Amino acid sequence: GESVGLHLPTLSVQEGDNSIINCAYSNSASDYFIWYKQESGKGPQFIIDIRSNMDKRQGQRVTVLLNKTVKHLSLQIAATQPGDSAVYFCAELGYGGSQGNLIFGKGTKLSVKP
Amino acid sequence: GAVVSQHPSRVICKSGTSVKIECRSLDFQATTMFWYRQFPKKSLMLMATSNEGSKATYEQGVEKDKFLINHASLTLSTLTVTSAHPEDSSFYICSARRGGGPRTYEQYFGPGTRLTVT
């Protein structure tokens, strides 16, 4: 079945360092992926997305990498700041019976130490 | 643009009562809205998909008679938790998708509603 998961449940980094958050997916037919940031007590906030015809996409301080061969997705945050502390979720746009629905991974909590 | 609001942000109710949560798209028309439930330190779990003017589609294991969803207009969907019990306590989040079909990717999330049933 379809599933999206994360390798690391928690990540602690020093302010100014780069952060890498990983995600694995199982449906090779998935063609669209999104990273969300969720701060405590708030709804998910869109960070960046990528379609399966790309292997890299950059935003402001963030980069998403997609490796379709091993069905792996990563989010890189450059010069991590305290305001980046949150839980990060990858999400996959469902196919088949879940068409149009987002399937969320388990989440990684990022803690930034000042 | 693309702002989604939820009301209330927090609600405490007594066991056995019903609670209604509203989800509104403030500056766009949402043909589809989604309702999620999130337990502490857990991921978002899709409960149901609601399309304007039609019955909601519930995910497996979600009781449709307990979680009533109404999507009466292109900017408003409501979730009513009927006969609430303490185990219904959770963080409920809605999202709204613009028109354009199921492969329209943009989906915008509300700020969530914290429900506590005593």
Side-chain angles (χ1 to χ4, degrees):
Chain A
E2 299 174 345
S3 68
V4 182
L6 292 172
H7 293 309
L8 296 174
T10 59
L11 178 64
S12 184
V13 300
Q14 203 70 38
E15 181 179 359
D17 287 351
N18 296 334
S19 303
I20 299 176
I21 300 172
N22 297 303
C23 179
Y25 64 96
S26 60
N27 187 355
S28 57
S30 297
D31 63 355
Y32 181 64
F33 305 88
I34 312 167
W35 280 101
Y36 287 96
K37 172 186 180 182
Q38 186 179 28
E39 296 175 320
S40 181
K42 298 183 179 180
Q45 176 187 358
F46 173 92
I47 302 173
I48 193 168
D49 59 359
I50 189 167
R51 302 191 182 192
S52 61
N53 61 351
M54 305 171 69
D55 53 20
K56 181 179 180 179
R57 189 158 190 235
Q58 287 184 294
Q60 188 176 13
R61 280 201 308 119
V62 294
T63 300
V64 55
L65 299 177
L66 175 62
N67 185 329
K68 294 182 286 295
T69 302
V70 295
K71 292 183 284 188
H72 183 268
L73 194 68
S74 70
L75 176 71
Q76 300 179 1
I77 304 173
T80 313
Q81 302 169 0
D84 295 327
S85 294
V87 177
Y88 290 81
F89 293 97
C90 62
E92 167 187 15
L93 190 66
Y95 240 92
S98 300
Q99 190 175 25
N101 299 341
L102 290 174
I103 301 169
F104 281 82
K106 296 180 180 178
T108 292
K109 182 177 181 180
L110 175 64
S111 296
V112 182
K113 295 177 288 187
Chain B
V3 177
V4 176
S5 70
Q6 279 184 245
H7 178 79
S9 57
R10 290 176 179 271
V11 57
I12 301 173
C13 71
K14 291 186 178 180
S15 188
T17 62
S18 296
V19 173
K20 180 185 284 188
I21 302 170
E22 293 185 347
C23 177
R24 294 181 185 272
S25 56
L26 299 184
D27 51 1
F28 67 99
Q29 292 186 328
T31 54
T32 305
M33 287 186 172
F34 303 86
W35 286 96
Y36 296 83
R37 182 175 182 176
Q38 186 177 32
F39 291 104
K41 300 183 180 180
K42 296 292 184 182
S43 188
L44 281 73
M45 181 189 75
L46 180 65
M47 298 175 67
T49 302
S50 103
N51 292 295
E52 185 265 338
S54 62
K55 290 184 179 180
T57 301
Y58 289 82
E59 295 298 299
Q60 192 172 10
V62 178
E63 299 177 60
K64 60 181 66 178
D65 293 332
K66 180 165 186 63
F67 298 100
L68 301 178
I69 292 172
N70 183 280
H71 192 163
S73 77
L74 287 171
T75 59
L76 173 65
S77 176
T78 60
L79 168 68
T80 301
V81 183
T82 63
S83 187
H85 290 284
E87 56 265 31
D88 298 325
S89 298
S90 193
F91 194 49
Y92 293 88
I93 306 171
C94 74
S95 71
R97 185 173 68 198
R98 298 178 188 267
R103 301 306 285 179
T104 299
Y105 302 112
E106 293 84 5
Q107 202 176 119
Y108 305 95
F109 285 84
T113 296
R114 172 76 58 195
L115 169 63
T116 303
V117 185
T118 61

